[in-house]
Structure formats: structure tokens, C-alpha cells
Amino acid sequence: MATRPFAVDGSPIFIAEGIFAAEIVGECRRRGLLAGAYALRRPRGATFLRRLARDLAEQRKAPRVLVRRGITLLRAEPAVLRRQTGLGAEAARAREVLRGVAALLAGHPHRS
């Protein structure tokens, strides 16, 4: 895995998002930088439909390929969430994550 430095000087918090964001949880915790770490937990069916609608609209690939890929991702999602929580992220719904981040920005650490 490649690494590269980044600076957050002057920022009260930073947000890393995406499927690989959980990879930095341990190091951020070790350095005393971790205020919170969340793995977004969404209804899998809704995620499948949103992803499919987006990919069809963008004509990324043939519809049959997109459906197959979507089903594969749908089935893999529980394992992805387990991996992220295993790396130290807390599984949470979007509303809980937004409340937690708002509390951090307000200077009041929040645990859902």
C-alpha cells in the first residue's frame, strides 16, 4: 500500500472518507489524533439501488455487468463492514455520524 503525508495544520478536525479510511484509524489513535472513526452502515438494498441508478445514468458499463457487479458488492458489504470495524471504526448510520461530527466541530466529543 502506498503512503503519502498530508498536513491538517490549523484544522480542528479532519475527515477521511471512503472504503480505505479505516486503514488509518490505528495510526491516528496511536498518535492521539483520533476523535472518532465511523464505518457507514446503510441498508444494503438501498445502497445497491443507488449505486445501480448512478452507474446506469453514467453508462459506466453494460447494464448486465452493472447488475452482476452490484450483486457482488451487495454480498460483500457485511465483510467490508466487519473489516472496517475490526480496524477500529464504529459502525453507525449516517444520522449518527453527522451528529458525531457536528458535536466534534462544536467542541463536544460525542459517542453514539
Side-chain angles (χ1 to χ4, degrees), residues 16-107:
E17 67 88 29
I19 194 165
F20 298 111
E23 301 289 335
I24 67 170
V25 169
E27 184 64 18
C28 288
R29 181 176 282 122
R30 188 182 72 70
R31 292 179 183 218
L33 300 173
L34 188 67
Y38 304 98
L40 196 55
R41 184 178 58 218
R42 289 185 165 160
R44 292 184 324 160
T47 300
F48 169 79
L49 292 174
R50 273 195 301 274
R51 183 183 293 127
L52 182 60
R54 178 201 66 203
D55 292 348
L56 287 171
E58 294 177 5
Q59 299 177 346
R60 292 177 173 222
K61 291 182 173 42
R64 184 174 28 187
V65 172
L66 294 174
V67 169
R68 250 185 308 180
R69 176 180 168 269
I71 291 170
T72 299
L73 292 171
L74 175 86
R75 289 179 179 152
E77 196 166 320
V80 170
L81 188 59
R82 278 193 306 276
R83 183 169 189 288
Q84 291 172 332
T85 57
L87 289 169
E90 175 186 345
R93 298 218 178 268
R95 186 177 313 124
E96 298 167 22
V97 173
L98 291 173
R99 274 199 307 262
V101 171
L104 288 170
L105 287 170

